Short mmCIF file of all heavy atoms in Angstrom, two decimals:
data_model
loop_
_atom_site.label_atom_id
_atom_site.label_comp_id
_atom_site.label_asym_id
_atom_site.label_seq_id
_atom_site.Cartn_x
_atom_site.Cartn_y
_atom_site.Cartn_z
N PRO A 838 112.81 98.20 95.59
CA PRO A 838 113.29 96.87 95.27
C PRO A 838 113.83 96.75 93.85
O PRO A 838 114.76 95.99 93.60
CB PRO A 838 112.07 95.98 95.50
CG PRO A 838 110.90 96.90 95.39
CD PRO A 838 111.39 98.23 95.89
N SER A 839 113.25 97.47 92.91
CA SER A 839 113.74 97.42 91.53
C SER A 839 115.13 98.04 91.42
O SER A 839 115.99 97.55 90.69
CB SER A 839 112.78 98.16 90.60
OG SER A 839 111.54 97.49 90.56
N VAL A 840 115.34 99.12 92.16
CA VAL A 840 116.65 99.77 92.16
C VAL A 840 117.67 98.88 92.88
O VAL A 840 118.79 98.69 92.38
CB VAL A 840 116.57 101.16 92.84
CG1 VAL A 840 117.94 101.78 93.03
CG2 VAL A 840 115.67 102.10 92.03
N ALA A 841 117.27 98.32 94.01
CA ALA A 841 118.18 97.47 94.78
C ALA A 841 118.61 96.24 93.99
O ALA A 841 119.77 95.84 94.02
CB ALA A 841 117.54 97.07 96.10
N SER A 842 117.67 95.63 93.25
CA SER A 842 118.03 94.45 92.49
C SER A 842 118.99 94.78 91.37
O SER A 842 119.92 94.04 91.07
CB SER A 842 116.78 93.74 91.93
OG SER A 842 116.16 94.52 90.91
N ARG A 843 118.81 95.94 90.75
CA ARG A 843 119.72 96.36 89.69
C ARG A 843 121.09 96.73 90.26
O ARG A 843 122.12 96.44 89.66
CB ARG A 843 119.12 97.52 88.91
CG ARG A 843 117.98 97.07 87.98
CD ARG A 843 117.27 98.27 87.40
NE ARG A 843 116.28 97.94 86.41
CZ ARG A 843 115.00 97.72 86.68
NH1 ARG A 843 114.57 97.73 87.94
NH2 ARG A 843 114.15 97.46 85.70
N GLN A 844 121.10 97.37 91.41
CA GLN A 844 122.36 97.68 92.07
C GLN A 844 123.12 96.39 92.37
O GLN A 844 124.32 96.30 92.13
CB GLN A 844 122.12 98.48 93.36
CG GLN A 844 123.35 98.72 94.20
CD GLN A 844 124.34 99.66 93.56
OE1 GLN A 844 124.10 100.23 92.51
NE2 GLN A 844 125.48 99.82 94.21
N ALA A 845 122.41 95.41 92.90
CA ALA A 845 123.04 94.12 93.20
C ALA A 845 123.59 93.49 91.92
O ALA A 845 124.70 92.96 91.92
CB ALA A 845 122.04 93.19 93.88
N LEU A 846 122.85 93.58 90.84
CA LEU A 846 123.30 93.03 89.58
C LEU A 846 124.60 93.72 89.12
O LEU A 846 125.56 93.07 88.71
CB LEU A 846 122.23 93.17 88.50
CG LEU A 846 122.56 92.58 87.14
CD1 LEU A 846 122.83 91.10 87.24
CD2 LEU A 846 121.43 92.87 86.16
N GLY A 847 124.62 95.03 89.24
CA GLY A 847 125.84 95.77 88.90
C GLY A 847 127.03 95.35 89.74
O GLY A 847 128.14 95.19 89.24
N MET A 848 126.78 95.10 91.01
CA MET A 848 127.84 94.63 91.90
C MET A 848 128.27 93.21 91.54
O MET A 848 129.46 92.87 91.62
CB MET A 848 127.39 94.68 93.36
CG MET A 848 127.21 96.08 93.91
SD MET A 848 128.77 96.99 93.93
CE MET A 848 128.33 98.42 92.98
N LEU A 849 127.34 92.36 91.15
CA LEU A 849 127.67 91.00 90.72
C LEU A 849 128.57 91.04 89.49
O LEU A 849 129.52 90.27 89.38
CB LEU A 849 126.40 90.18 90.45
CG LEU A 849 125.58 89.81 91.66
CD1 LEU A 849 124.21 89.28 91.24
CD2 LEU A 849 126.32 88.81 92.54
N TRP A 850 128.26 91.94 88.55
CA TRP A 850 129.10 92.08 87.36
C TRP A 850 130.52 92.43 87.75
O TRP A 850 131.47 92.02 87.10
CB TRP A 850 128.57 93.17 86.43
CG TRP A 850 127.28 92.83 85.74
CD1 TRP A 850 126.83 91.58 85.38
CD2 TRP A 850 126.30 93.74 85.26
NE1 TRP A 850 125.63 91.69 84.72
CE2 TRP A 850 125.28 93.01 84.66
CE3 TRP A 850 126.19 95.13 85.34
CZ2 TRP A 850 124.17 93.61 84.10
CZ3 TRP A 850 125.07 95.73 84.78
CH2 TRP A 850 124.06 94.96 84.15
N ARG A 851 130.68 93.20 88.82
CA ARG A 851 132.00 93.64 89.28
C ARG A 851 132.65 92.62 90.23
O ARG A 851 133.74 92.88 90.74
CB ARG A 851 131.88 94.99 90.00
CG ARG A 851 131.41 96.10 89.09
CD ARG A 851 131.17 97.36 89.90
NE ARG A 851 130.25 98.19 89.15
CZ ARG A 851 129.52 99.15 89.68
NH1 ARG A 851 129.60 99.45 90.96
NH2 ARG A 851 128.71 99.86 88.92
N LYS A 852 131.92 91.56 90.51
CA LYS A 852 132.36 90.53 91.46
C LYS A 852 132.54 91.09 92.88
O LYS A 852 133.32 90.58 93.67
CB LYS A 852 133.62 89.84 90.96
CG LYS A 852 133.42 89.13 89.64
CD LYS A 852 134.58 88.25 89.30
CE LYS A 852 134.46 87.58 87.96
NZ LYS A 852 133.22 87.14 87.47
N ASP A 853 131.76 92.12 93.19
CA ASP A 853 131.75 92.68 94.54
C ASP A 853 130.53 92.08 95.26
O ASP A 853 129.48 92.71 95.38
CB ASP A 853 131.67 94.21 94.48
CG ASP A 853 131.94 94.84 95.84
OD1 ASP A 853 131.80 94.15 96.87
OD2 ASP A 853 132.29 96.04 95.85
N TYR A 854 130.69 90.83 95.67
CA TYR A 854 129.58 90.06 96.20
C TYR A 854 129.06 90.57 97.52
O TYR A 854 127.86 90.50 97.78
CB TYR A 854 129.99 88.58 96.31
CG TYR A 854 130.48 88.03 94.98
CD1 TYR A 854 131.79 87.60 94.81
CD2 TYR A 854 129.62 87.95 93.89
CE1 TYR A 854 132.23 87.10 93.60
CE2 TYR A 854 130.06 87.47 92.66
CZ TYR A 854 131.35 87.05 92.54
OH TYR A 854 131.79 86.56 91.33
N GLU A 855 129.93 91.12 98.36
CA GLU A 855 129.49 91.70 99.63
C GLU A 855 128.53 92.87 99.39
O GLU A 855 127.49 92.98 100.04
CB GLU A 855 130.67 92.13 100.49
CG GLU A 855 131.44 91.01 101.13
CD GLU A 855 130.67 90.29 102.24
OE1 GLU A 855 129.67 90.82 102.76
OE2 GLU A 855 131.08 89.16 102.58
N LYS A 856 128.90 93.76 98.46
CA LYS A 856 128.06 94.92 98.18
C LYS A 856 126.75 94.50 97.50
O LYS A 856 125.72 95.11 97.73
CB LYS A 856 128.80 95.97 97.35
CG LYS A 856 129.79 96.74 98.18
CD LYS A 856 130.30 97.95 97.46
CE LYS A 856 131.26 98.71 98.36
NZ LYS A 856 131.89 99.81 97.68
N ALA A 857 126.80 93.46 96.70
CA ALA A 857 125.57 92.94 96.08
C ALA A 857 124.62 92.45 97.17
O ALA A 857 123.41 92.72 97.15
CB ALA A 857 125.89 91.83 95.10
N LEU A 858 125.18 91.73 98.12
CA LEU A 858 124.40 91.23 99.25
C LEU A 858 123.82 92.36 100.07
O LEU A 858 122.65 92.34 100.46
CB LEU A 858 125.29 90.32 100.10
CG LEU A 858 124.63 89.39 101.10
CD1 LEU A 858 123.59 88.51 100.45
CD2 LEU A 858 125.72 88.54 101.76
N GLU A 859 124.63 93.38 100.32
CA GLU A 859 124.16 94.55 101.07
C GLU A 859 123.01 95.25 100.36
O GLU A 859 122.06 95.71 101.00
CB GLU A 859 125.30 95.54 101.28
CG GLU A 859 126.35 95.09 102.27
CD GLU A 859 127.56 96.02 102.30
OE1 GLU A 859 127.45 97.19 101.86
OE2 GLU A 859 128.62 95.57 102.77
N ALA A 860 123.09 95.35 99.04
CA ALA A 860 122.07 96.06 98.27
C ALA A 860 120.69 95.42 98.47
O ALA A 860 119.70 96.13 98.67
CB ALA A 860 122.43 96.10 96.79
N VAL A 861 120.62 94.09 98.42
CA VAL A 861 119.31 93.44 98.58
C VAL A 861 118.90 93.28 100.04
O VAL A 861 117.72 93.23 100.35
CB VAL A 861 119.23 92.08 97.84
CG1 VAL A 861 119.36 92.27 96.35
CG2 VAL A 861 120.22 91.08 98.36
N SER A 862 119.88 93.26 100.92
CA SER A 862 119.58 93.07 102.35
C SER A 862 118.71 94.20 102.90
O SER A 862 117.93 93.98 103.82
CB SER A 862 120.87 92.97 103.17
OG SER A 862 121.54 91.79 102.84
N GLY A 863 118.82 95.38 102.32
CA GLY A 863 118.04 96.51 102.78
C GLY A 863 116.56 96.46 102.41
O GLY A 863 115.77 97.21 102.96
N VAL A 864 116.19 95.56 101.50
CA VAL A 864 114.79 95.54 101.03
C VAL A 864 114.15 94.16 101.02
O VAL A 864 112.93 94.05 100.94
CB VAL A 864 114.66 96.18 99.63
CG1 VAL A 864 115.01 97.64 99.64
CG2 VAL A 864 115.46 95.42 98.61
N ILE A 865 114.93 93.11 101.10
CA ILE A 865 114.38 91.77 100.90
C ILE A 865 113.36 91.38 101.97
O ILE A 865 112.42 90.64 101.70
CB ILE A 865 115.51 90.72 100.77
CG1 ILE A 865 115.01 89.50 100.02
CG2 ILE A 865 116.12 90.39 102.11
CD1 ILE A 865 116.11 88.59 99.51
N ASP A 866 113.54 91.87 103.20
CA ASP A 866 112.57 91.56 104.25
C ASP A 866 111.24 92.27 104.05
O ASP A 866 110.21 91.81 104.50
CB ASP A 866 113.15 91.90 105.61
CG ASP A 866 114.29 90.98 106.02
OD1 ASP A 866 114.35 89.85 105.50
OD2 ASP A 866 115.14 91.41 106.83
N ILE A 867 111.28 93.39 103.35
CA ILE A 867 110.05 94.15 103.08
C ILE A 867 109.34 93.58 101.86
O ILE A 867 108.12 93.44 101.86
CB ILE A 867 110.39 95.64 102.85
CG1 ILE A 867 111.08 96.23 104.08
CG2 ILE A 867 109.14 96.44 102.49
CD1 ILE A 867 111.73 97.57 103.83
N TYR A 868 110.09 93.25 100.83
CA TYR A 868 109.55 92.75 99.56
C TYR A 868 109.92 91.28 99.38
O TYR A 868 110.54 90.89 98.40
CB TYR A 868 110.08 93.58 98.40
CG TYR A 868 109.76 95.04 98.51
CD1 TYR A 868 110.68 95.95 99.02
CD2 TYR A 868 108.51 95.52 98.12
CE1 TYR A 868 110.37 97.30 99.13
CE2 TYR A 868 108.19 96.87 98.23
CZ TYR A 868 109.13 97.75 98.74
OH TYR A 868 108.83 99.08 98.84
N GLU A 869 109.54 90.47 100.35
CA GLU A 869 109.99 89.08 100.35
C GLU A 869 109.38 88.21 99.26
O GLU A 869 109.83 87.09 99.04
CB GLU A 869 109.76 88.45 101.73
CG GLU A 869 108.35 88.51 102.21
CD GLU A 869 108.22 88.08 103.67
OE1 GLU A 869 109.17 88.24 104.44
OE2 GLU A 869 107.14 87.60 104.02
N ASP A 870 108.41 88.74 98.53
CA ASP A 870 107.83 87.96 97.43
C ASP A 870 108.48 88.27 96.08
O ASP A 870 108.09 87.73 95.05
CB ASP A 870 106.32 88.21 97.32
CG ASP A 870 105.98 89.66 97.01
OD1 ASP A 870 106.81 90.55 97.32
OD2 ASP A 870 104.90 89.89 96.44
N ARG A 871 109.50 89.12 96.07
CA ARG A 871 110.20 89.47 94.83
C ARG A 871 111.32 88.46 94.56
O ARG A 871 112.37 88.49 95.19
CB ARG A 871 110.80 90.88 94.90
CG ARG A 871 109.80 91.99 95.09
CD ARG A 871 109.21 92.41 93.73
NE ARG A 871 108.27 93.47 93.89
CZ ARG A 871 108.53 94.73 93.57
NH1 ARG A 871 109.70 95.07 93.07
NH2 ARG A 871 107.61 95.65 93.75
N THR A 872 111.07 87.57 93.63
CA THR A 872 112.05 86.51 93.37
C THR A 872 113.39 87.05 92.90
O THR A 872 114.43 86.46 93.18
CB THR A 872 111.50 85.49 92.35
OG1 THR A 872 111.17 86.16 91.14
CG2 THR A 872 110.29 84.76 92.89
N VAL A 873 113.39 88.17 92.20
CA VAL A 873 114.65 88.73 91.71
C VAL A 873 115.58 89.10 92.86
O VAL A 873 116.80 88.93 92.76
CB VAL A 873 114.41 89.92 90.75
CG1 VAL A 873 113.88 91.13 91.47
CG2 VAL A 873 115.68 90.25 89.98
N LEU A 874 115.02 89.53 93.98
CA LEU A 874 115.85 89.86 95.14
C LEU A 874 116.48 88.59 95.73
O LEU A 874 117.66 88.60 96.09
CB LEU A 874 115.03 90.59 96.20
CG LEU A 874 114.47 91.96 95.79
CD1 LEU A 874 113.54 92.50 96.87
CD2 LEU A 874 115.58 92.93 95.48
N TRP A 875 115.69 87.53 95.81
CA TRP A 875 116.24 86.26 96.31
C TRP A 875 117.29 85.72 95.36
O TRP A 875 118.30 85.14 95.78
CB TRP A 875 115.12 85.24 96.53
CG TRP A 875 114.24 85.61 97.68
CD1 TRP A 875 112.95 86.08 97.62
CD2 TRP A 875 114.56 85.55 99.07
NE1 TRP A 875 112.48 86.32 98.87
CE2 TRP A 875 113.43 85.99 99.78
CE3 TRP A 875 115.70 85.16 99.76
CZ2 TRP A 875 113.42 86.07 101.17
CZ3 TRP A 875 115.70 85.22 101.15
CH2 TRP A 875 114.56 85.67 101.84
N MET A 876 117.07 85.88 94.04
CA MET A 876 118.04 85.41 93.07
C MET A 876 119.35 86.16 93.24
O MET A 876 120.43 85.56 93.24
CB MET A 876 117.48 85.58 91.65
CG MET A 876 118.31 84.91 90.60
SD MET A 876 118.24 83.11 90.83
CE MET A 876 118.63 82.58 89.19
#
């Protein structure tokens, strides 16, 4: 989840919103209490 959230952040910086969404989608159901993933 820490790697996925950072990957999503990197994608957000690039304005690649689909890839940012994909990065967290792979882990958010497992780590649903991680607010950074929801953010």
Side-chain angles (χ1 to χ4, degrees):
S839 296
V840 172
S842 69
R843 287 171 173 91
Q844 173 69 4
L846 183 60
M848 291 296 125
L849 289 168
W850 290 331
R851 297 174 202 158
K852 300 190 183 324
D853 192 339
Y854 304 116
E855 285 291 343
K856 284 193 179 174
L858 196 54
E859 288 172 20
V861 296
S862 293
V864 295
I865 203 164
D866 291 336
I867 300 166
Y868 301 98
E869 56 190 27
D870 63 335
R871 298 277 181 104
T872 58
V873 70
L874 296 174
W875 290 107
M876 190 67 156

